[in-house]
Structures are given as C-alpha cells and as structure tokens.
Amino acid sequence: MSALKDLKQVVAEHSHTTGATQKLPDSWAFKQLDANSVRRAAILMLFGSADGRGLSRDADPAELDLLFVERAETLRSHAGQISFPGGGIDPEDASETDAALREAWEETGVQTSGIEVLGQLAATELPVSNFIVTPVLGWWHTESAVFPVDPGESAGVFRAPVAHLLDPRNRVLGVVQRGGRKFSAPAFEYDGRVIWGFTAMVADKLFNELGWTRPWSPKREIRML
C-alpha cells in the first residue's frame, strides 16, 4: 500500500472518534487540563516530497518529509521548541482544517492551494498550555517556498525526511523532571535538533498507527528541561 493510502486509512479510522478527545500517555501527564479555560487549536502535519521533485500518489513512506517550525527563543511558552505549524482556532475559522491551513500560511508562507487535506486525527489534550489540539493531515502535491514569516515567532522552518525520523538511530527518549518525578516520551533527533514533547508524541503515534515505525531502543535518554 502507498503512503497516501496508509494516511487515508488512518484518517478513516479516526473519523469514528469524532467529538472524542485523547489524553497524553501517563508517562507524560504531569498536569491536568483546566476545563474552565481550555481552548481549541489545530496543527498541520504536512507531508511533502523528501527529494523536492514532487509527490506521486503512489509514493512510499521513504519518499516523504514533514514540515516543522522552530519556535523563537523569545516566546513566553515553548520557546525554542520544534512544532508543527498551527495554533489557536479563531472565531473566523470555519473549522479545525481552516485554522490549521491559516496558521501554516501565517507561520511558513506555504501556499495552501498546493495542499490536499486528507482529514483530521482525533483531538488530543495538551494540558501544559491548556489546549485541545486537532492534527490535520496534508498532502503537499504542489510545493511552494517556506520560510519563517515572523522571526519574532519562528526562528526557522525546516523539512525532515520521514525515513530519517523512522531510523532507529535517530530515536531517543525525551525526559523532563517535574515535582521530583521523571516524565518521558518518544523523541526524534534531526540535524542537531531534538523534536520532542507534544509534537514528537503526535508524530510517534501516527507512525505507529500507519505501521511505519521501526523497532528502536528507548534506553538512550535526553534530558530536555
């Protein structure tokens, strides 16, 4: 089965969970969601061509890459961390998909007309910033230049090959300490960066559901904070 068919199959499976929210693994749940002030957000998981020559509809996973944003060090929350393009859903957004596409354009300059939206994954709670986040999957059939539109928000924009992320040599366990307790979750190393936290957990879960994950050892830990 092609990567595109795999992605569509996962989206179809998630369509049965509409309205339900998922929680982060207990190994990373160091805070509870505040139901009185929770907001909704959306992120775009945009799959493009790793070799830059464009995506064919029968491309396999090794031919894909993913678009990421490196947050500016001056931000008050999640400073310097790697994330998928995205953000809070505004009143003028018609849907989670509209919000994800708008935020991606605002952050990276990507031309959203070149993106085929494949669908949404189940919304996931993100207690540390009190959001419920819906991942939107995109297929970048007609690529455009991307760049950090606002340097005050984004230090950089980059693409990471899926094959690199799936390579067991680039898989680590990201660790943080909170209140004397140790919390850990899957993370990825790429080009001197560590993709960790919520972003890495969403990617890891999707790769698992797609059946793309290769066996890796969680014994190599990296202290994140």
Side-chain angles (χ1 to χ4, degrees), residues 18-115:
T18 302
T21 59
Q22 299 183 347
K23 295 182 178 294
L24 295 179
D26 291 340
S27 62
W28 197 258
F30 45 82
K31 188 177 181 181
Q32 297 299 312
L33 201 70
D34 181 358
N36 294 320
S37 60
V38 67
R39 291 187 60 203
R40 303 195 73 90
I43 56 175
L44 180 65
M45 303 180 73
L46 182 57
F47 289 90
S49 169
D51 63 12
R53 292 186 291 183
L55 281 179
S56 67
R57 299 188 72 80
D58 60 352
D60 64 43
E63 297 176 71
L64 308 184
D65 64 14
L66 272 169
L67 180 65
F68 293 94
V69 173
E70 185 172 1
R71 294 170 62 84
E73 293 285 354
T74 53
L75 293 176
R76 288 182 295 176
S77 62
H78 310 295
Q81 294 185 21
I82 307 301
S83 67
F84 290 111
I89 298 175
D90 290 344
E92 61 268 25
D93 293 320
S95 64
E96 289 88 349
T97 293
D98 282 353
L101 292 174
R102 173 184 57 77
E103 286 281 349
W105 174 72
E106 290 178 355
E107 292 179 346
T108 73
V110 66
Q111 297 301 304
T112 56
S113 59
I115 299 171

Side-chain angles (χ1 to χ4, degrees), residues 117-176:
V117 175
L118 303 180
Q120 300 175 185
L121 304 182
T124 301
E125 296 179 3
L126 180 57
V128 68
S129 53
N130 213 43
F131 277 101
I132 294 176
V133 183
T134 299
V136 176
L137 300 190
W139 185 260
W140 204 357
H141 58 77
T142 305
E143 297 186 3
S144 55
V146 289
F147 54 94
V149 174
D150 182 354
E153 291 192 3
S154 304
V157 173
F158 67 94
R159 299 166 63 166
V162 168
H164 180 100
L165 299 176
L166 295 175
D167 189 327
R169 294 172 295 182
N170 302 317
R171 302 297 307 270
V172 295
L173 202 65
V175 174
V176 300

Side-chain angles (χ1 to χ4, degrees), residues 16 62 103 152 162 199 208:
H16 302 302
E103 286 281 349
V162 168
T199 300
N208 289 340

